[in-house]
Amino acid sequence: MATESKVNILLVDDQPENLLALEAILNELGANLVKAASGEEALRCLLYQDFAVILLDVQMPQMDGFEVATLIRQRQRSRETPIIFLTAFSTSEQFMFKGYALGAVDYLMKPLAANVLKSKISVFIELFKKTEALKQKTAALQQQTARLAAINAELQHSEERFRRLSDCSPLGVFVTNPAGQCVYTNPRFLSICEFSSNLETDQTWLQTVHADDRDQAATTWSTYLQNQQEYSQEFRFQLRDGSIRWVHIRSARMLSEEGKFLGHVGTIEDVTGRRQAEAASAQIMREQVARQEAEVANRMKDEFIAILSHELRTPLNSMLGWSRLLRYRKCDEKTIARAIETIERNATSQAKLIEDILDVSQIVRGKLRLNCLPVDLAPIIHAALETVQPLAAAKAIDLQSFIDETTTFQVMGDPVRLQQVAWNLLTNAIKFTPERGKVEIRLEQVEASIPSVPASPAAPFPCAQIQVIDTGIGISPEFLPHVFDRFRQADSTITRTHGGLGLGLAIVRYLVEQHRGTVYVESAGIGQGTTFTIKIPLLQADNQETRGNEQGHLLKVPATSPLHNVQVFVVDDDEDTRGFLRFLLQNEGAIVTTAASAAETLSKLTSFQPAVLLCDISMPDMDGYTLMHKIRTQLPQPQAHILAIALTAHAGPSTQEQAVAAGFQKYVPKPIEPDTLIQEIVRLVTPEECELIKTPY
């Protein structure tokens, strides 16, 4: 505890013995007695110290007590200091009044009464102590008041600064209480939300959110109020005039210095400009991508047209050349056989090109349909192998197959299209495999995840896996992702080694996907060979149908055709086609009658009854559909019930359906395969064959 400082008392007297006497009397009061032998010395003491009381002798040389008192009272610091005059000479009232006029508190005569003096001085000591204590308290209070005033001024300045910042802020600002009710908003917030200045506490930015975003906004905001994570979301605001504004809402929790939760503070920013800029940038990017894709598509189209022209003209060159040689020059039988073989091979090549183009056209228009039924893949693979065997033999390619004959690979599919898939992959492998290379096809059962199967995509499903593996030229890593694209070839230059339009693999992918399967290609690179893998879901045991010939296998016409003496009526406006069909059918023993128009057909049918009518669909004046309708509705029996097969170059399921609806029993696309046409005629004219062979139409 701090020791209390002594009170100062000033003793002024020119006589040393008087000072000693005063010191002896007052010493026991415990005060600090300061002695001065003259008025000048007393004034010097007052410069540096404060005194509880001054005992001042009146009669002093040079400067008496009254003069000293006058000077003491003139100083601000000592103006209120009590003065007791001491005198031994005059008790005149005049001197006493003068002393009191100068502010003296008492006027004592010498010799002094010790007890009286100590009593009077004690009072002044206590009074000084209390006054000093009061001064200290007052000073402390003044300091505290000054500090509070400074704090209030700083708070007022800070509040004013915050208000100016808030009013001028480009961001909307809002503050909520712990319950999430809005208690403060700045003008920008009100402007963005289109609220009035008298904002009610239950109004929030959620009321302005677009109806389509409101549920999401309410859910995310409610979740935020229940946890401690920061909030950052963008929503659309719908204004009163119907316009849309994008805003970014941010919010965080407010905590006191003690960690007490006070509520939330948040900002709301109008980001419509940024959104529009992003949308414009995205649109520009899309346009650039579209332009690049269009340029690539145009380049691919030009390349495809050039390739198509080459692929169509090349076989025409051989066909027209050999046909003119056969017409204008005499050739031996060996040369004739070679010419016919060349013409047939190139015509088959052209027919395949046209079929691919038509297939792709139907794929693009979404018109390619499948005639699906339970079918075993093994016979289809064997049939495709038989078809491509001559191509492999011509290049001395080792063509091998690995098929588990003990397993039934039954799938739901179109047998013709599945055979087309296998044929395309095999011919593609043979085309790109050098002489004396190796091509193999494998058929096995695997467990795989097929997304199109109505089950869990992650669950394995029994599938038939077809792999065509070759030791050919391989595929570069750059071109590998584009193998199944339409009109895309790794080499599209005029110096390319291998022919084709680049459509076969695109058709393969489409057909496989239509069978709910997957196809992909693997290659280690140029010169490393290629492996194509197809996976098609197998039929489950309770869905399989294994009755006889319902597998959809391609059936061959018996070696001895039962067309002997069968009357066949051929209707086609193309003379070459009529000549070809007449020659073909007569060689099978049929009796052939021809007509070049629908009118001629109706005229001839009134006089005889053919067994089968082969009718072209596209004819001038009257097409085949109209002709068949007139035959069925206007001719008498038995002509009205004649068996009829439609012949048309307009290949496709829709044409087939239209032909059957018009009254035709069968449909054969052009170019006509002789064996296929004869087989269809046999099916119509031979009742027992109709019972044994079931082909879906």
Side-chain angles (χ1 to χ4, degrees), residues 286-562:
R286 287 193 295 269
E287 291 175 355
Q288 290 178 346
V289 172
R291 185 161 52 251
Q292 293 173 356
E293 291 178 348
E295 292 173 355
V296 172
N298 287 333
R299 184 171 64 252
M300 290 171 56
K301 180 185 69 175
D302 293 342
E303 293 174 355
F304 173 72
I305 292 175
I307 294 171
L308 176 61
S309 174
H310 174 270
E311 294 297 324
L312 290 177
R313 290 175 182 273
T314 299
L316 280 176
N317 181 64
S318 299
M319 294 164 65
L320 292 175
W322 277 110
S323 63
R324 287 169 181 165
L325 288 177
L326 292 176
R327 178 184 292 275
Y328 297 113
R329 294 189 183 183
K330 292 183 179 180
C331 302
D332 56 22
E333 291 185 0
K334 184 176 181 180
T335 302
I336 293 173
R338 178 186 175 191
I340 293 174
E341 179 184 355
T342 302
I343 292 172
E344 182 179 8
R345 183 176 64 253
N346 284 277
T348 302
S349 174
Q350 269 200 335
K352 183 63 177 66
L353 291 176
I354 294 171
E355 288 176 1
D356 284 350
I357 294 173
L358 292 176
D359 282 347
V360 170
S361 175
Q362 289 180 337
I363 290 172
V364 171
R365 293 183 292 113
K367 300 295 184 180
L368 187 64
R369 301 178 185 175
L370 303 180
N371 294 318
C372 293
L373 70 158
V375 58
D376 189 356
L377 289 176
I380 289 178
I381 300 299
H382 286 303
L385 283 168
E386 291 179 7
T387 304
V388 301
Q389 185 65 50
L391 298 176
K395 297 176 68 175
I397 290 176
D398 182 13
L399 183 61
Q400 298 182 0
S401 63
F402 300 90
I403 301 174
D404 185 1
E405 302 295 346
T406 63
T407 303
T408 300
F409 298 94
Q410 195 168 60
V411 300
M412 181 62 70
D414 185 325
V416 176
R417 293 301 184 181
L418 289 173
Q419 185 169 338
Q420 180 182 2
V421 168
W423 186 88
N424 276 356
L425 292 180
L426 286 169
T427 54
N428 189 74
I430 293 171
K431 180 198 299 186
F432 292 102
T433 299
E435 293 186 356
R436 302 187 182 281
K438 180 180 179 182
V439 174
E440 64 181 52
I441 185 169
R442 294 177 175 272
L443 177 61
E444 58 186 337
Q445 181 174 333
V446 298
E447 298 288 326
S449 298
I450 304 295
S452 60
V453 174
S456 174
F461 194 86
C463 297
Q465 176 175 281
I466 304 172
Q467 285 188 306
V468 177
I469 307 168
D470 65 63
T471 59
I473 63 174
I475 303 173
S476 67
E478 295 79 12
F479 187 72
L480 201 60
H482 307 290
V483 167
F484 296 103
D485 293 350
R486 292 193 295 268
F487 313 130
R488 289 291 291 268
Q489 298 190 58
D491 181 11
S492 58
T493 64
I494 60 174
T495 59
R496 65 198 185 113
T497 306
H498 307 281
L501 299 178
L503 300 179
L505 293 179
I507 295 172
V508 165
R509 179 174 64 177
Y510 178 82
L511 292 177
V512 170
E513 290 176 351
Q514 291 302 299
H515 284 84
R516 300 191 304 166
T518 60
V519 59
Y520 58 90
V521 60
E522 297 172 290
S523 178
I526 300 297
Q528 302 298 314
T530 307
T531 299
F532 285 88
T533 302
I534 294 173
K535 295 177 182 178
I536 300 176
L538 290 168
L539 285 177
Q540 298 300 298
D542 55 348
N543 293 330
Q544 294 181 358
E545 299 177 10
T546 57
R547 299 190 304 270
N549 291 325
E550 290 187 5
Q551 299 293 330
H553 303 165
L554 299 178
L555 300 181
K556 296 184 178 180
V557 177
T560 302
S561 175

Side-chain angles (χ1 to χ4, degrees), residues 569 598-610 630-631 634-640 642:
F569 192 0
E600 183 181 355
T601 300
L602 292 173
S603 175
K604 288 184 176 182
L605 281 177
T606 60
S607 59
F608 83 109
Q609 172 62 41
K630 289 190 175 184
I631 291 174
Q634 297 180 9
L635 294 184
Q637 293 192 25
Q639 286 90 338
I642 186 173

Side-chain angles (χ1 to χ4, degrees), residues 265-280:
V265 60
T267 62
I268 179 169
E269 179 183 6
D270 187 342
V271 295
T272 305
R274 174 175 62 78
R275 280 278 187 162
Q276 291 174 345
E278 291 175 352

